């Protein structure tokens, strides 16, 4: 049975309406089109970002055409089962392997960034501290001070 929910809704008798599936289908289609439009927007925005386009409007037609072509590829029940098994098996990759790989990459890039950032901070601190001490020495604040005599002023 290809659409069991609609088939079950046909058999429910109502006094005013003969078929309940006429109410169910528009509500279901609104939710489906809402979800699909969100996916189309995300895909077209991503493609425009990859190709460095200013607007994602050009990518929308490509995304819709590609999704329609992909939707018409499987024609037999075995094709659907193959796609289902691929989706189930790839879920393990995206749930376990991919996040672990991203974690390792983030640690590697963080160490590189920390080393560069530490060198920049150290050079900035040395420049600021030299400037600060030069200002103090030039202002004459340590003249006649016992601390100034200790440090050689």
């Amino acid at each position: 049975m290809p659409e069991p929910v609609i088939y079950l809704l046909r058999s429910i008798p109502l006094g005013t309406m003969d078929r309940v599936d006429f109410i169910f289908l528009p509500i279901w289609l609104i939710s489906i089109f809402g979800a699909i439009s969100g996916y189309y927007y995300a895909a077209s925005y991503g493609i425009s970002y990859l190709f460095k386009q200013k607007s994602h409007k050009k990518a929308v037609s490509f995304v819709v055409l590609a999704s329609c072509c992909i939707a018409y590829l499987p024609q037999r029940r075995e094709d659907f089962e193959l796609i289902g098994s691929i989706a189930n098996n790839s879920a393990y990759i995206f749930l376990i392997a991919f996040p672990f790989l991203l974690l390792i990459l983030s640690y590697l890039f963080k160490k590189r960034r920390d080393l560069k950032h530490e060198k920049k901070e150290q050079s900035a601190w040395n420049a600021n501290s030299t400037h600060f001490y030069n200002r103090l020495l030039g202002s004459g604040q340590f003249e006649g001070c016992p601390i100034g005599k200790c440090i050689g002023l």
Side-chain angles (χ1 to χ4, degrees):
M1 194 176 314
E3 290 91 12
V5 175
I6 297 173
Y7 183 77
L8 289 173
L9 287 176
R10 277 188 190 168
S11 64
I12 298 174
L14 292 176
T16 58
M17 183 170 234
D18 195 23
R19 292 178 56 182
V20 180
D21 59 332
F22 288 144
I23 295 174
F24 171 74
L25 283 175
I27 295 170
W28 180 68
L29 286 174
I30 289 170
S31 65
I32 293 299
F33 282 126
I36 288 175
S37 64
Y39 289 130
Y40 283 164
Y41 174 76
S44 62
Y45 189 81
I47 288 174
S48 67
Y49 181 79
L50 284 175
F51 292 119
K52 295 180 173 103
Q53 299 290 321
K54 291 181 181 178
S55 176
H56 67 278
K57 292 179 182 179
K58 294 177 184 176
V60 173
S61 58
F62 173 72
V63 168
V64 171
L65 183 67
S67 67
C68 288
C69 289
I70 291 170
Y72 284 113
L73 283 178
Q75 295 293 325
R76 299 174 303 181
R77 185 178 244 8
E78 295 84 19
D79 296 337
F80 287 110
E81 290 174 1
L82 177 66
I83 291 172
S85 67
I86 291 171
N88 287 335
N89 293 333
S90 66
Y92 295 117
I93 294 170
F94 286 105
L95 290 175
I96 297 169
F98 192 65
F100 188 68
L101 177 68
L102 289 177
L103 178 68
I104 292 170
L105 288 174
S106 69
Y107 279 127
L108 290 175
F109 284 115
K110 182 181 177 191
K111 288 182 182 179
R112 288 183 189 168
R113 188 182 68 220
D114 287 345
L115 289 175
K116 289 179 183 177
H117 187 66
E118 186 178 318
K119 288 179 183 177
K120 285 181 183 178
E121 278 186 357
Q122 189 175 18
S123 63
W125 185 82
N126 288 339
N128 288 339
S129 62
T130 305
H131 178 68
F132 174 73
Y133 289 124
N134 286 339
R135 271 192 351 190
L136 282 179
L137 293 176
S139 66
Q141 291 180 352
F142 288 118
E143 292 177 13
C145 177
I147 297 175
K149 290 178 185 174
C150 291
I151 59 172
L153 296 175

